[in-house]
Amino acid sequence: MTKRKFLGEFEQVVLLAVIRMAGDGYGMAIRREIEERTGRGVSIGAIYATLERLEAKGYVGSRSGSPSPERGGRARRHFAISAEGRTALQRSRDMLGSMWDGVDLEQPDSEGQEVA
Amino acid sequence: MTKRKFLGEFEQVVLLAVIRMAGDGYGMAIRREIEERTGRGVSIGAIYATLERLEAKGYVGSRSGSPSPERGGRARRHFAISAEGRTALQRSRDMLGSMWDGVDLEQPDSEGQEVA
DNA sequence: GCCCGTAGTTCTATTTTGTAGAACAATTCC
DNA sequence: GGAATTGTTCTACAAAATAGAACTACGGGC
């Protein structure tokens, strides 16, 4: 179990959704947030699997919501980011950022070396 | 072979390195670029596997260098990004960007809902 | 022409992530 | 109790990430 230094692509997305929901996010809502914000369709299974992994790594914590919500349906499981989660996100952002630094996608490579 | 809509985390990094090297990047140099720029250690196998995948998806093209380089050692295989590669990079950047939008890592969640 | 060093790429194997959707669980309202 | 509703868990598999050993191809001496 070599500890990975950077978050996976989807892990980043999910973790950001968790932050956005300010500790009140839960599976279905997190999914909605991602879909609305990015237009990316995601299955519910993908969300939970990722959340599960993030929790195993200590990047998020979860607590189950009030047992009897006034609305029917099963209790929610709320997720909140941890300090380590924040750090991990920062690390990933900075790493990617350093690769993006100075890159301009509109322009072809300085030398015009593009390929078909 | 369901075509993925977004690049993987490492795919992004490698693709950015390819752009940076302006069409003259090759395995070992791409690796060096990533390590120097990000401090992230990467195995050579990881680089090639990823480059291979990017090529299969049409995001980069490759051509082998001059058969008789004035330096000894095997011929290089140069990689250059394609128009589709650029588009893919843009898509991934925008998607992630929309999730980052407005997020401030220094601040705990608006509600202070952090977890141990 | 054959070894040696050097520079590079391929190959093999395995773990971790990403993905989907069906199954299951818990609650309210009739 | 049964249906509707809301949500989570489970099962299965594909794709991406990762490492490092093996292999290839060249130049330079001798």
Side-chain angles (χ1 to χ4, degrees):
Chain A
M1 188 206 89
T2 318
K3 188 157 187 185
R4 276 263 217 303
K5 197 162 179 187
F6 301 100
L7 294 165
E9 184 265 328
F10 193 57
E11 287 180 323
Q12 291 180 54
V13 170
V14 171
L15 203 39
L16 282 167
V18 168
I19 286 199
R20 293 195 153 277
M21 323 248 346
D24 278 320
Y26 59 99
M28 311 251 55
I30 288 171
R31 176 199 205 179
R32 229 176 300 127
E33 169 78 2
I34 295 174
E35 292 194 327
E36 280 170 9
R37 201 154 256 281
T38 68
R40 174 183 194 170
V42 291
S43 75
I44 191 62
I47 296 286
Y48 281 104
T50 303
L51 245 12
E52 209 67 50
R53 281 170 204 151
L54 289 173
E55 186 167 41
K57 294 180 191 165
Y59 294 157
V60 301
S62 72
R63 69 215 133 76
S64 58
S66 37
S68 256
E70 244 61 64
R71 79 176 185 295
R74 190 171 175 177
R76 294 170 174 166
R77 186 170 157 210
H78 294 278
F79 291 86
I81 194 166
S82 68
E84 299 82 61
R86 254 169 233 287
T87 306
L89 214 33
Q90 215 155 354
R91 201 167 37 222
S92 287
R93 180 196 55 188
D94 293 349
M95 188 272 296
L96 230 234
S98 72
M99 288 304 299
W100 270 106
D101 193 56
V103 170
D104 179 8
L105 284 187
E106 312 313 318
Q107 265 0 72
D109 298 348
S110 344
E111 311 302 307
Q113 297 278 22
E114 194 158 311
V115 97
Chain B
M1 189 204 97
T2 318
K3 189 156 189 187
R4 276 264 219 300
K5 197 162 181 188
F6 302 100
L7 295 165
E9 183 267 327
F10 194 56
E11 287 180 323
Q12 291 180 54
V13 170
V14 170
L15 204 39
L16 282 167
V18 168
I19 286 198
R20 292 195 154 278
M21 324 246 349
D24 278 321
Y26 60 99
M28 310 251 56
I30 287 171
R31 176 200 205 178
R32 229 176 300 128
E33 169 79 1
I34 294 174
E35 292 194 327
E36 280 169 10
R37 201 153 257 283
T38 67
R40 174 182 194 170
V42 291
S43 75
I44 191 62
I47 296 285
Y48 281 104
T50 303
L51 245 12
E52 209 67 48
R53 250 179 287 126
L54 289 172
E55 188 167 40
K57 294 180 192 165
Y59 294 157
V60 301
S62 72
R63 67 218 135 74
S64 57
S66 37
S68 257
E70 244 62 65
R71 79 175 189 295
R74 188 170 177 177
R76 294 170 175 167
R77 187 169 156 212
H78 294 278
F79 292 86
I81 194 165
S82 68
E84 299 82 58
R86 255 169 232 287
T87 306
L89 213 33
Q90 215 155 357
R91 200 168 34 221
S92 287
R93 179 196 56 185
D94 293 349
M95 188 272 295
L96 232 234
S98 71
M99 288 305 298
W100 271 106
D101 193 57
V103 169
D104 179 7
L105 284 188
E106 313 312 320
Q107 263 3 71
D109 298 346
S110 344
E111 310 302 308
Q113 299 277 23
E114 196 157 308
V115 97

